[in-house]
Amino acid sequence: MNRFDLGILISSFFELAKALPLTLSVGILAMLIGLILGTSISVYRYLYNGPLNKMLAGYISFFRGTPLMIQLFLFFFGLPQIMPLFGRMNAFQASVLIMGINASAYVAESIRAALSSIDSLQHDAGLSIGLNRYQSMWYILLPQAMRVALPTLGNTFIGVIQGTSLTFMLGLNDLMGLAKMRAASNYRFFEVYLAVGLMYWLITILLSKLNDRMAQKLKGEAN
Amino acid sequence: MLKVKNIQKRFGELEVIKGVDFEIAPGEVVAIIGPSGSGKSTLVKTFNFLVKPDMGTMTFDGATVDMHHAHTREIDGIRKQTGMVFQNFGLFPHLSVLENVILSLKKVHQFSEADAKARGLELLARVGLLEKANAAPRTLSGGQQQRVGIARAIASRPKLLILDEPTSALDPELVGEVLAVIKEIKNDHMSMVVVTHEMRFAKEVADRIIFMDHGQIVASGSPEEMFSENAPPRLKQFTSSFVMNYS
Ligand SMILES: Nc1ncnc2c1ncn2[C@@H]1O[C@H](COP(=O)(O)OP(=O)(O)O)[C@@H](O)[C@H]1O
Ligand SMILES: [Mg+2]
């Protein structure tokens, strides 16, 4: 049995900070992909009706309805067997892409809900001044939907950051990957995993604060 | 200026517009009155295709379109030449008052930023809200919001202005300022269709009044004719309930 060692906890915490840029890059890039892809999907679904719409609904359902870990394994280890092209991606690229696709499903759902919460009078008013439906979407509906969806999008981002802790399984030396290596070399599992847990907790708290502040600011504007 | 023939529209089982013909001359002001649910909003929204009729033809400024099969291009073209004022204002809450007024000038009518601003400020001055140019719409009273709505609707000098119950959502003490603005813009000589329950206003401002009931035009004529003793009984029954409010 080991005695809890605060010194190891602290040194592990700072040691792990080296992996912070990698974790944040994966998280931020994935969120960017998720935002662009997810917003495009929900805008498409709002403006069009057709077979693609149904397929997109299926896409959203699949990526929200299966564990991220399975998606990572399926697309990183499984897909290249069927389509060798995908085997050329390295772990970083694959992590960003798969997590981005995963995030896009959540983003699409938030923005769909936000768009449908906006009074149809807004769209009518946009059309009445001569905007076409794409302009009305871009200048009238989407800016309002983004404000409505912001708190949910913030939570999605927090989820993405926490989700990056699975990418070590693709071989990425992110926070979790580094923690695992360190624990394997010094056998101080408790201190090292506590340190990495605290690190994610800290990031989450900071992002939540930021999110609340932005929501508060928008709420002030809306009243 | 605008002429529509045999407009029909149903929502599911409900037949809302049952073959309406309507015409308005350049500069003419037509008021549409009638009970709630008679199809007034639906009818005027077909004029700028916010509602697409199941049937009907439209001649707008000389060009004729089959309304049910109108192309996006034709619809966009007509919307560029019409303006609309809504009962519930429909101002864009994320834009300032001035931006509300000039958005179409910049994005649809290719005004430069400076020209659009100049025109926007001129319009706001005209509706008495110059000092509110940078305010957020939510900070304005209902009457002020509707005046912005009017400025926005006429910003691009449309040939036809549609007003759907522009004062119905307002507190009584705010109705006057909005009606005054509508009377003032009559000076621009654009064609105007006003759906309204303000009978005295309709009488004063309209060249012609149309009475709608159950999706049809039941009576149409000059204000004098429409409020005379010889008006059809259904119309008299309707208008008398309002005239009471003023006497
Ligand atoms: N989008 C819609 N879907 C279904 N029914 C509608 C729709 N718009 C209007 N209606 C119905 O059509 C009828 C006429 O409505 P409307 O044109 O708004 O009347 P008005 O403006 O004269 O009060 C009403 O019975 C209303 O419920
Ligand atoms: Mg109505």
Side-chain angles (χ1 to χ4, degrees), chain B residues 25-95:
Chain B
E28 191 183 14
V29 178
V30 176
I32 301 182
I33 60 174
S36 174
S38 58
K40 305 179 298 296
S41 294
T42 307
L43 178 67
V44 298
K45 281 183 183 170
T46 66
F47 298 165
N48 63 352
F49 289 91
L50 292 186
V51 169
K52 200 172 197 176
D54 303 323
M55 190 180 270
T57 52
M58 169 184 281
T59 307
F60 190 97
D61 219 21
T64 300
V65 289
D66 171 353
M67 294 180 83
H68 184 63
H69 298 106
H71 292 287
T72 311
R73 197 169 11 85
E74 293 169 322
I75 293 174
D76 287 345
I78 285 166
R79 285 184 184 145
K80 281 183 197 173
Q81 303 177 67
T82 52
M84 182 154 184
V85 175
F86 298 88
Q87 180 173 351
N88 293 311
F89 327 134
L91 296 186
F92 308 130
H94 60 299
L95 300 178

Side-chain angles (χ1 to χ4, degrees), chain A residues 13-14 26 46 52 55 96 103 124 139 148 176 180 196 223:
Chain A
F13 188 85
F14 287 103
V26 174
Y46 187 93
L52 184 57
M55 285 166 60
V96 166
D124 278 358
Y139 295 116
V148 173
M176 189 59 197
K180 209 162 172 309
V196 76
N223 287 319

